[in-house]
Amino acid sequence: MSNTFNVELNEVVSKDTIREIYHTPLLDLIFRAALVHRENESYSEVQISQLISVKTGGCSEDCAYCPQAARYQTGVDVHALMSVEKVKELATEAKERGASRVCMGASWREVRDNRDFDRILQMVEEVHAMGMEVCCTLGMLNEIQAMRLKEAGCYAYNHNIDTSESYYGEIISTRNFQDRLNTLENVRQAKMTVCSGGIIGMGESDEDRIGMLHTLANLPQAPDSVPINALVAVKGTPLENQQQVPIQDVVRMVATARIIMPKSVVRLSAGRNSMSLSDQALCFMAGANSIFAGEKLLTTPNPDFNQDMEMFKILGLTPRKAFKA
Ligand code: SAM
Ligand code: DTB
Ligand code: SF4
């Protein structure tokens, strides 16, 4: 069966096309996304990424979803930068369980050229030397900082656009959408792979979701990985009372991302703790091929490793090896 929605990499995808795909009746949408996904011979492989919160809480930004912003009373345990030894220990455990990527997250607005950054570079070198893909998510970066990370062995950089350009100001006021795009450009120039996606369930409209996907798919090059996060509403944040986003919305986002960015890894990210096995199965069917594993994301709960391995067994999924583009 020919697939009318099969979009080639680098093709400019219009908002109209994305809108049409996004609003397809759900089962047709899943079926089409599954067809696109099955053109990838490794469709049953799922990348497992282990998050490590190397610096937690006390952040100067006002991201309305985030438990780590200093201005919200969320009860998060604030921690200074972790030691290199501790990171190595956590990465070793994750590797033994089958994770191929470690993503180190810091609650920073931006990277500064100081001793903390030097320590991050050391962490990157050490985890890289273990044969794992290293990803960092540290906030905004300039060109030189991006190059230093790359030189230390950082494979990917996560920097989410989070929502549409027009809804961005409703969620964050301490930086703007263009700041995010500039960092993504610096990451590309430094030849790290780009990981960028966003969050649904923050009160945005379908048009905002479509707008976010439109921006991602039309970056000079589509992101290598696209995390789709379902908001984890944390008490104390301005979004604490948001209703949990319905699973069909997550599936729609995953499927649309899969169709318009056929070569990208689509990561079913925050929110899995409230999803059943069949909810997640629909997302994998619709083209999700990566997860964050381990019982904690950065500060909030996530399914534990054994539970995920059991799910992989039931669904016939296998963990993807490191550096398999
Ligand atoms: N401080 C850096 C930054 O903002 O880029 C890196 C860490 S930040 C926590 C990484 C991403 O986590 C955010 O861009 C957002 O997409 C996601 N995130 C944070 N809190 C979340 C929540 N409560 N629910 C879902 N995703 C969340
Ligand atoms: C991404 O898109 N999701 C991850 C990772 N990139 C850094 C973070 C999710 C955080 C969820 C809230 C928390 O645990 O603090
Ligand atoms: Fe800080 Fe990042 Fe959280 Fe925003 S998302 S408050 S920048 S840690």
Side-chain angles (χ1 to χ4, degrees), residues 51 65-68 76 103-105 137 158-160 162 195-199 226-230 232 234 267 269-271 292 296-301:
L51 277 169
Y65 49 76
C66 189
Q68 301 200 64
V76 153
C103 179
M104 303 195 281
T137 180
N158 167 248
H159 200 65
N160 292 337
D162 282 335
C195 172
S196 189
I199 308 177
V226 181
I228 303 293
N229 294 278
V232 179
V234 177
R267 185 171 306 113
S269 303
F292 285 119
K296 205 147 97 174
L297 290 163
L298 290 170
T299 67
T300 63

Side-chain angles (χ1 to χ4, degrees), residues 73-176:
Q73 304 307 311
T74 61
V76 153
D77 274 337
V78 178
H79 279 292
L81 191 61
M82 216 176 240
S83 69
V84 177
E85 281 314 304
K86 182 70 187 169
V87 170
K88 263 173 76 177
E89 190 186 308
L90 293 172
T92 306
E93 284 169 18
K95 187 178 179 188
E96 279 163 6
R97 288 186 300 236
S100 56
R101 177 177 289 200
V102 161
C103 179
M104 303 195 281
S107 51
W108 288 333
R109 169 188 167 75
E110 75 240 309
V111 166
R112 304 227 171 115
D113 298 304
N114 57 17
R115 269 191 272 170
D116 277 355
F117 186 41
D118 294 339
R119 198 193 292 177
I120 294 271
L121 294 172
Q122 253 179 294
M123 293 171 185
V124 171
E125 276 172 23
E126 295 281 355
V127 180
H128 174 67
M130 289 169 51
M132 299 185 86
E133 293 175 14
V134 183
C135 173
C136 285
T137 180
L138 314 168
M140 294 184 271
L141 285 182
N142 65 32
E143 280 168 65
I144 293 168
Q145 292 161 340
M147 284 189 306
R148 290 184 71 196
L149 276 171
K150 168 70 185 173
E151 270 164 29
C154 186
Y155 182 73
Y157 197 79
N158 167 248
H159 200 65
N160 292 337
I161 62 167
D162 282 335
T163 189
S164 67
E165 183 167 15
S166 51
Y167 200 61
Y168 200 81
E170 302 289 323
I171 299 297
I172 302 152
S173 76
T174 47
R175 55 167 189 258
N176 61 42

Side-chain angles (χ1 to χ4, degrees), residues 35-49:
L35 281 179
V36 171
H37 193 41
R38 267 153 205 260
E39 281 170 21
N40 170 359
E41 59 183 34
S42 312
Y43 65 85
S44 60
E45 287 182 1
V46 173
Q47 177 198 51
I48 301 181
S49 185

Side-chain angles (χ1 to χ4, degrees), residues 139-143 146 157 159 161 176-190 194 219-220:
M140 294 184 271
L141 285 182
N142 65 32
E143 280 168 65
Y157 197 79
H159 200 65
I161 62 167
N176 61 42
F177 198 72
Q178 189 58 45
D179 292 329
R180 296 305 266 186
L181 300 182
N182 294 348
T183 293
L184 290 176
E185 184 53 27
N186 293 338
V187 171
R188 268 281 173 233
Q189 290 302 327
V194 168
L219 289 171

